[in-house]
Amino acid sequence: MKQMSDVLFLDKRFGFFLYLVVEAIMFATLFATYIIFTPAERGAHPSEVFEWKTVALTSIFLLSSSGTLLMAEKGLKNWSRKWIWVGLVTTFLLGAIFMGLEIHEFYKYAHEGYTLSMNNFLGAFYVLVGLHASHVAFGLGWMINLMIQFTKDMPRALFIEKHKIFNYYWHFVDVVWVLIVTIVYLPYLF
Amino acid sequence: MRLPIIGYVLSDVIVSWIITLIIGGFLLWWLTAKRKWPLILDYIGTTDNRKIGTMYILFAILFFIRGGMDAMFIRTQLAVPDNDFWVFQADKYNEVFTTHGTVMIFFVAMPLLIGLMNIAVPLQLGANDLAFPYLNAISFWLFVSGAFIFNMAFFFNAAPNAGWTAYAPLSNDTFTSGPNNNYYIFGLQISGLGTIFTAINMIVTIARLRAPGMKLSRMPLFPWATLVTSSLILVAFPVLTVALLLLMFDRFYGTSFFGGEFGSPVYWQHLFWIFGHPEVYILVLPAFGIFSDIISTFSRKRIYGYTSMVISITLIGLLGFMVWAHHMFTVGLGALANSVFAITTMLIAVPTGIKVFNWLFTMRKGVVRMTTPMLFALGFIPTFVIGGVTGVMLAVAAADYQYHDSYFVVAHFHYTMIGGTILGAFAGIYYWYPKMTGKMLNEKLGKWHFWLFIIGFHLTFLPQHFAGLNGMPRRVFTYTWEDGVFLFNFVSTIGAYLMGISMLFVLWNLFKTHRSGTSSVDGDPWDGRTLEWTTDSPAPEHPFPNVPVVDRLDAYWYAKVNQTNLPQTKDVRPDPISIRTFQPILLAGVLMVMSIGFIYHWMWLQILGGGSVLAFFLIRSWTDERNEAYRKGEKS
Amino acid sequence: MKKTGWILTLFLLSGCSLRVLDPASPYADKITRLIYLSFGIMMLVFVVVMILFVHFLKKFHETSDRVDEIPVDESGNRKLEITWTVLPVLLLVILAVPTVTTTYQLTSGASQGEGGQDKERVIIHVKAEQFRWEFTYEGGEVSYDKLVLPLDKEVELRLTSEDVIHSFWAPNLAGKIDVFPDKETRLVFTANKLGDFQGKCAEFCGSHHALMRFETTVMEASAYETWLQDQ
């Protein structure tokens, strides 16, 4: 009989990949919505709203967090507690900074009068980027939970499983961000 | 009667309060008197696929009664011209047809099929459970939660009223400002999430838990249909989720995606039908699978043209995504778009036709046994063919300018949905009832049910084609003598009552079967062909201690014909872990609380409910059943 | 068979007077022909299926002497399966060609005239609102819930909505065209029969959707002019 944890992990991984397909389609629909309504006929034009500095800064932090997560992955492979800690903590910090910048960005836009009811470009922008941001926030909570679980006595196979599933999630969220940058921001920055 | 929050209440709501209280009180008394509570707690805490499947079907029947009562009100109001039946005119009527449609699609047809999938698919594959038993319980309770939210609306005098398609801008807060359509959004959102999880569960189960030797090319057609359906769900439902999300933003937070100054009402229609058209194939493909198994079993022949059957289900699934705009021929998309979608729609007739002929030729040279499930399967063929050919007629874009949104369309989709999905679900319930309960439903009453239902059905919906051709639009609460549709409507109403009466035979049958304690049946009462019939009836929680080894399609049947036993093996992959847990029902509860917070714009309740929902992720993570199982694995 | 009997009686009783099949314009007439064509082809399919269905049931249902019979195993038949793939495709091609041509004829008629206006065309602006139809004629004359059209003259309706989506439907004269708040849709047809015809809103639009009706009267061109002047 095969090792239970190996087989169940493969089940779970496949199931989670299917779930990511679902997420991908949701984001795709929101991207379509954004493309259809942007730029809007009235109200703010994207080029007057977006700033390349914010986009660059947020991207640097979020994308590098995918890189630091690789350290944790390496730790999982060789079961090095040190690497797992380093990977998780740096990823969390980078993600948290991204989150802070994102909240700041939204706050600033709203402050300048660019609210989501101004026109459909902004409506679509806030729903799409907001959904992504809530994914990042959820991921941050997830990481805290992982770190606590890491300090507790948990079967190694189970921790690895939980960690790996999280990794897929985080990389997925990063890929969505790359798409957001190329589809939402870039066409209107230069 | 005027009440706070609830508003001005008409007599229908008051009557339903009273009836619900009486029935609810009686039920509580009965459950206590009969000491049924331990049984109920056992079902609530279960992750077993058979029990969850049974609960899906029970709840579906409950909502079927609700949707059916809506149908009766509709037909009574439309029985004669210029009618004033009770309160069912104007707004009330609009609520009734909206809930009728939504309930029947999302809370009757879907759970009936998902219930049958839960019961039959793992057994047919030789699997001991679905891949994720805990997730399965979550799916089920999400469905219950969504369904309760949606059905609650009526009792709080706020039934949704923009049609099951909720076309914007009518569904925006500008034109329907009450909480009514908020119920619609949250009911569908939450049950939809449950459906998505079920689809994931089914795909992983089918991909990874098949019995040794069961290649995909040896898999029975019901799991095949389930596989294709689940893939469709995976792609179609997220689109609905986003559409509802955007609609919610329109209604709650002042965006105007679908209405207002700069919104696009047609965009809602695109999103809705990109979901909605695959949805009708999601509903009908599992029924095709059920019929394939049943027709093959009761003809004592293997299914004719197995490979082309599989290819056609897949093709129907694929084409299902390329036809959505045929619901929008009259919005002015232009001649090119209309022509393209007309042709793709017509193409669907080809794989469907292949299936019909293969079913017919499965019976040829067979021994056709007229059991109740087979009768439903046989009733399905002509009925669905009528629905199919009117479908092709509707695909003729120019002609659809006339049919569109008329009773012709109403007749058409009832022919496909009832003729396909509902007949399929009935067939499946009669067929797998022994696997669910260990008892057989009474055949005589089953046949009464079939004949009354099918005759009532054709009486109801055949005349509606002609009402439509005579200019009767759908969703109207009245018509005049001059319209010349009285006769059609009157016959239709008679038929609807006949269908209603036929359902009493189902209830009587259920009552009789369980009351008289008819002797339990053995594992294989129908002389079946697939693996579910190798297990006991009812199927135990761990049906395959030794997993059968399969070397061809219908291996069990050929083993019986050759008077051998199927070889078995113990050397299989580890089973998914089933547990007892009350987390899913609690999650359903807090989701309901959160939704009510949103529906009535009570911020504190939103935060309370939302926070609790998030807490459930933590609870789940810390009570993971794998913890113990893996620990044992590491020690050994 | 019971069902086919029903179809026939109902059809004979009412076939000729059903509004959709009783066209009063070349536009509606084209659709009527298309409906008959598609109905014919589809009936052919239905009859073939029913003949096989009844025949197989009669011949192969279980009889007392066949209770234990195990039929010969057969997995399929390539030739037969190709037959019932190819034949439906042929039938669909027969149907698809007139479908596309008619769709182009009827739909392109609606989007023409974007630029230069056709002098021969009578242009009527239609405004739909919950739950009323407002018709504005070329000279600024207005009528409510009553549309008057000249005989044998091409009419172009330009439709907009004040609130939600409605749909303009006068089954004897033309197919439906939806009416939107955010864009203008068009419908072009020529009435060629005198008389009064029913019109209805065909897109669910709220409480009194069922009562949102209008009457269309087709009159001689001269009577039409007089009627306009009386408004």
Side-chain angles (χ1 to χ4, degrees):
Chain A
M1 196 146 138
K2 289 165 198 152
Q3 185 71 33
M4 182 180 211
S5 51
D6 293 344
V7 177
L8 293 193
F9 170 68
L10 291 179
D11 288 350
K12 194 164 174 180
R13 188 177 69 176
F14 186 25
F16 193 75
F17 283 170
L18 290 176
Y19 177 72
L20 290 182
V21 170
V22 170
E23 290 258 17
I25 291 163
M26 287 188 203
F27 276 109
T29 316
L30 285 175
F31 278 122
T33 309
Y34 180 83
I35 292 168
I36 287 170
F37 288 118
T38 310
E41 279 169 29
R42 268 166 296 167
H45 190 271
S47 55
E48 57 184 279
V49 180
F50 299 149
E51 288 162 14
W52 71 268
K53 258 189 212 161
T54 337
V55 182
L57 221 52
T58 43
S59 305
I60 288 170
F61 284 110
L62 193 65
L63 297 184
S64 56
S65 79
S66 240
T68 52
L69 196 60
L70 292 176
M71 295 195 280
E73 270 165 62
K74 203 176 135 200
L76 283 178
K77 216 179 227 167
N78 315 324
W79 197 249
S80 145
R81 293 186 70 92
K82 194 182 85 189
W83 279 109
I84 294 175
W85 270 118
V86 172
L88 268 180
V89 170
T90 46
T91 307
F92 178 82
L93 288 177
L94 291 169
I97 295 171
F98 169 85
M99 205 56 220
L101 289 171
E102 192 81 346
I103 292 170
H104 175 75
E105 185 192 359
F106 278 23
Y107 182 79
K108 189 164 152 267
Y109 290 170
H111 203 67
E112 289 166 352
Y114 302 129
T115 57
L116 85 171
S117 53
M118 186 179 201
N119 62 19
N120 278 337
F121 142 63
L122 283 165
F125 168 79
Y126 279 111
V127 175
L128 170 59
V129 182
L131 186 69
H132 176 266
S134 60
H135 275 74
V136 176
F138 188 85
L140 292 177
W142 193 341
M143 268 191 276
I144 296 176
N145 192 44
L146 261 184
M147 288 190 248
I148 299 173
Q149 281 173 333
F150 193 40
T151 62
K152 304 277 171 192
D153 171 39
M154 182 181 263
R156 189 179 289 180
L158 184 63
F159 180 78
I160 293 178
E161 175 178 312
K162 285 186 183 299
H163 202 314
K164 278 187 175 168
I165 298 290
F166 169 77
N167 294 348
Y168 305 136
Y169 175 83
W170 195 257
H171 293 314
F172 172 78
V173 171
D174 260 15
V175 171
V176 173
W177 180 255
V178 173
L179 290 172
I180 287 181
V181 170
T182 43
I183 295 171
V184 173
Y185 290 106
L186 276 187
Y188 303 103
L189 276 179
F190 303 106
Chain B
M1 194 156 78
R2 183 169 285 283
L3 294 167
I5 300 170
I6 293 172
Y8 184 75
V9 185
L10 289 176
S11 58
D12 61 326
V13 176
I14 297 173
V15 169
S16 65
W17 286 344
I18 297 170
I19 292 177
T20 312
L21 283 179
I22 294 173
I23 294 181
F26 173 77
L27 218 73
L28 284 180
W29 168 82
W30 185 80
L31 290 172
T32 315
K34 293 274 176 185
R35 299 173 194 283
K36 293 282 185 195
W37 285 108
L39 182 73
I40 289 186
L41 281 180
D42 177 50
Y43 268 75
I44 289 177
T46 191
T47 60
D48 173 55
N49 63 301
R50 175 183 67 83
K51 288 180 177 166
I52 288 177
T54 311
M55 285 194 289
Y56 262 118
I57 290 171
L58 278 175
F59 274 97
I61 291 175
L62 177 72
F63 297 126
F64 194 53
I65 295 172
R66 195 261 153 105
M69 269 160 40
D70 285 342
M72 293 300 143
F73 293 142
I74 291 172
R75 281 320 321 165
T76 313
Q77 164 63 21
L78 290 181
V80 289
D82 302 316
N83 198 7
D84 265 326
F85 169 65
W86 201 0
V87 294
F88 298 105
Q89 293 83 42
D91 286 327
K92 267 290 169 191
Y93 183 88
N94 297 341
E95 290 178 7
V96 167
F97 75 68
T98 302
T99 51
H100 169 75
T102 318
V103 165
M104 286 300 196
I105 299 265
F106 291 98
F107 308 124
V108 176
M110 294 293 289
L112 277 177
L113 296 172
I114 291 178
L116 290 170
M117 286 177 194
N118 256 289
I119 290 159
V121 167
L123 292 178
Q124 290 192 322
L125 297 177
N128 276 316
D129 205 327
L130 286 176
F132 310 113
Y134 178 92
L135 185 69
N136 194 27
I138 294 275
S139 294
F140 170 70
W141 289 105
L142 287 181
F143 146 67
V144 174
S145 177
F148 268 65
I149 291 168
F150 186 86
N151 282 282
M152 226 160 58
F154 169 77
F155 292 93
F156 291 104
N157 198 31
N161 56 4
W164 86 278
T165 51
Y167 270 17
L170 185 62
S171 56
N172 268 346
D173 54 337
T174 323
F175 299 104
T176 47
S177 53
N180 306 47
N181 291 310
N182 302 347
Y183 277 105
Y184 171 89
I185 293 175
F186 281 90
L188 294 201
Q189 202 68 292
I190 289 175
S191 64
L193 206 57
T195 310
I196 289 175
F197 292 150
T198 301
I200 293 175
N201 221 333
M202 291 292 164
I203 295 178
V204 177
T205 308
I206 292 169
R208 296 188 42 86
L209 276 99
R210 297 193 306 275
M214 186 182 280
K215 297 180 193 166
L216 282 176
S217 57
R218 293 169 183 166
M219 193 163 75
L221 283 169
F222 184 48
W224 254 113
T226 304
L227 181 63
V228 175
T229 294
S230 303
S231 319
L232 293 187
I233 290 176
L234 227 49
V235 182
F237 268 74
V239 179
L240 176 70
T241 307
V242 168
L244 291 171
L245 182 77
L246 295 177
L247 183 63
M248 177 180 138
F249 269 80
D250 269 13
R251 287 182 68 88
F252 286 41
Y253 305 118
T255 57
S256 45
F257 294 113
F258 305 127
E261 272 178 275
F262 23 70
S264 162
V266 176
Y267 187 49
W268 167 265
Q269 299 186 14
H270 279 296
L271 288 183
F272 188 86
W273 290 116
I274 287 173
F275 149 76
H277 202 83
E279 165 69 5
V280 305
Y281 293 109
I282 290 168
L283 290 174
V284 90
L285 289 180
F288 285 177
I290 295 171
F291 289 128
S292 301
D293 284 2
I294 285 178
I295 290 176
S296 159
T297 300
F298 294 109
S299 304
R300 286 207 200 112
K301 269 181 74 213
R302 64 186 281 167
I303 193 79
Y304 199 85
Y306 174 84
T307 318
S308 59
M309 287 302 247
V310 171
I311 294 173
S312 17
I313 315 181
T314 320
L315 268 182
I316 294 174
L318 284 176
L319 283 172
F321 283 105
M322 299 176 210
V323 299
W324 79 89
H326 70 215
H327 297 265
M328 302 163 64
F329 280 151
T330 62
V331 306
L333 296 177
L336 177 65
N338 283 357
S339 303
V340 169
F341 281 100
I343 289 170
T344 51
T345 307
M346 286 179 186
L347 281 179
I348 291 188
V350 177
T352 316
I354 294 174
K355 295 191 76 75
V356 170
F357 283 105
N358 278 337
W359 285 318
L360 288 173
F361 276 71
T362 305
M363 298 195 296
R364 189 181 68 153
K365 296 184 185 163
V367 180
V368 180
R369 286 183 286 159
M370 297 294 182
T371 57
T372 309
M374 187 60 174
L375 275 182
F376 277 100
L378 293 175
F380 151 80
I381 292 179
T383 312
F384 194 81
V385 170
I386 295 179
V389 297
T390 52
V392 176
M393 289 170 73
L394 282 162
V396 178
D400 183 72
Y401 297 164
Q402 290 284 20
Y403 305 130
H404 181 82
D405 263 352
S406 77
Y407 258 81
F408 193 88
V409 174
V410 176
H412 158 73
F413 67 70
H414 281 94
Y415 262 87
T416 51
M417 289 289 97
I418 296 184
T421 312
I422 298 297
L423 290 184
F426 283 150
I429 290 173
Y430 281 98
Y431 185 55
W432 284 306
Y433 203 77
K435 279 297 144 211
M436 284 184 241
T437 63
K439 293 169 193 291
M440 292 279 267
L441 284 169
N442 184 301
E443 278 285 289
K444 201 173 166 190
L445 288 176
K447 284 173 184 166
W448 269 97
H449 170 212
F450 168 75
W451 283 110
L452 284 177
F453 189 84
I454 197 89
I455 292 170
F457 168 80
H458 285 280
L459 276 182
T460 312
F461 294 106
L462 202 68
Q464 291 186 357
H465 291 109
F466 302 98
L469 288 179
N470 207 11
M472 185 172 173
R474 65 195 278 205
R475 297 170 167 178
V476 290
F477 67 86
T478 192
Y479 55 93
T480 64
W481 284 102
E482 292 76 47
D483 292 353
V485 290
F486 161 63
L487 196 64
F488 304 131
N489 277 286
F490 191 70
V491 172
S492 191
T493 302
I494 294 174
Y497 277 99
L498 217 53
M499 286 166 85
I501 292 169
S502 81
M503 290 312 294
L504 296 179
F505 280 84
V506 180
L507 297 180
W508 185 16
N509 201 343
L510 288 174
F511 179 75
K512 201 177 159 192
T513 306
H514 288 272
R515 188 59 186 268
S516 64
T518 16
S519 55
S520 313
V521 288
D522 65 354
D524 186 16
W526 300 113
D527 198 7
R529 312 171 69 84
T530 35
L531 291 184
E532 75 266 38
W533 307 112
T534 62
T535 66
D536 290 339
S537 298
E541 296 223 358
H542 198 77
F544 300 101
N546 298 316
V547 181
V549 179
V550 171
D551 60 347
R552 57 175 133 172
L553 179 69
D554 294 345
Y556 177 51
W557 170 257
Y558 292 107
K560 283 194 286 187
V561 170
N562 301 330
Q563 294 179 333
T564 55
N565 284 321
L566 274 181
Q568 293 184 332
T569 173
K570 268 189 186 302
D571 180 32
V572 284
R573 51 157 288 164
D575 290 321
I577 310 164
S578 33
I579 44 163
R580 296 194 46 73
T581 168
F582 292 97
Q583 287 171 18
I585 189 178
L586 290 174
L587 174 67
V590 293
L591 271 170
M592 222 153 122
V593 170
M594 182 190 80
S595 303
I596 291 170
F598 276 103
I599 288 166
Y600 286 99
H601 302 277
W602 296 332
M603 182 74 92
W604 60 275
L605 207 58
Q606 296 170 15
I607 295 170
L608 185 78
S612 322
V613 171
L614 286 179
F616 264 91
F617 283 95
L618 288 180
I619 297 174
R620 165 65 185 157
S621 176
W622 286 89
T623 55
D624 198 329
E625 66 275 2
R626 289 160 194 248
N627 199 331
E628 216 166 307
Y630 286 9
R631 192 160 305 216
K632 276 181 203 156
E634 278 185 2
K635 273 178 192 150
S636 64
Chain C
M1 284 290 294
K2 217 177 293 164
K3 287 160 210 153
T4 25
W6 253 104
I7 299 179
L8 286 178
T9 20
L10 273 173
F11 207 70
L12 290 177
L13 271 174
S14 43
C16 20
S17 68
L18 291 171
R19 290 187 177 87
V20 165
L21 305 178
D22 182 24
S25 74
Y27 177 119
D29 187 54
K30 275 184 191 138
I31 294 185
T32 310
R33 284 159 198 263
L34 209 48
I35 290 176
Y36 279 124
L37 173 71
S38 62
F39 182 73
I41 295 176
M42 288 299 115
M43 267 300 122
L44 183 69
V45 175
F46 181 67
V47 166
V48 170
V49 170
M50 283 314 286
I51 289 173
L52 290 176
F53 181 73
V54 172
H55 175 69
F56 289 167
L57 275 188
K58 265 194 180 153
K59 201 162 171 198
F60 301 112
H61 73 269
E62 188 181 43
T63 45
S64 49
D65 54 323
R66 298 179 71 214
V67 173
D68 294 320
E69 185 186 320
I70 290 175
V72 186
D73 207 35
E74 56 172 351
S75 60
N77 181 317
R78 185 67 34 103
K79 272 184 198 155
L80 278 174
E81 288 181 61
I82 290 174
T83 313
W84 59 63
T85 313
V86 172
L87 283 184
V89 171
L90 286 180
L91 288 180
L92 288 180
V93 170
I94 297 176
L95 186 57
V97 172
T99 297
V100 172
T101 50
T102 317
T103 305
Y104 265 88
Q105 284 167 359
L106 299 187
T107 318
S108 60
S111 56
Q112 267 172 12
E114 296 271 355
Q117 280 194 6
D118 195 331
K119 287 248 166 65
E120 291 302 302
R121 244 180 218 180
V122 179
I123 293 174
I124 300 173
H125 289 269
V126 183
K127 201 164 82 184
E129 61 186 306
Q130 288 176 327
F131 303 90
R132 185 171 80 159
W133 295 94
E134 181 188 298
F135 302 99
T136 310
Y137 302 83
E138 282 172 318
E141 305 89 346
V142 177
S143 66
Y144 294 101
D145 292 339
K146 183 175 172 69
L147 172 63
V148 178
L149 299 174
L151 184 71
D152 289 332
K153 265 203 171 169
E154 199 173 40
V155 203
E156 179 178 323
L157 302 182
R158 299 187 174 175
L159 310 98
T160 50
S161 166
E162 283 291 281
D163 35 50
V164 299
I165 306 173
H166 303 273
S167 188
F168 178 96
W169 190 29
N172 300 86
L173 294 168
K176 292 173 203 73
I177 186 75
D178 289 356
V179 189
F180 289 90
D182 63 327
K183 63 171 183 182
E184 188 183 77
T185 45
R186 295 179 191 206
L187 184 67
V188 179
F189 61 92
T190 311
N192 63 0
K193 266 188 201 162
L194 290 174
D196 295 333
F197 303 101
Q198 275 194 344
K200 286 160 191 163
C201 173
E203 181 67 66
F204 174 58
C205 60
S207 329
H208 292 94
H209 162 61
L211 309 179
M212 188 169 163
R213 295 158 159 249
F214 58 92
E215 193 181 56
T216 311
T217 307
V218 179
M219 37 177 88
E220 297 282 1
S222 53
Y224 172 73
E225 293 301 330
T226 342
W227 181 85
L228 277 184
Q229 278 161 19
D230 292 344
Q231 292 307 301

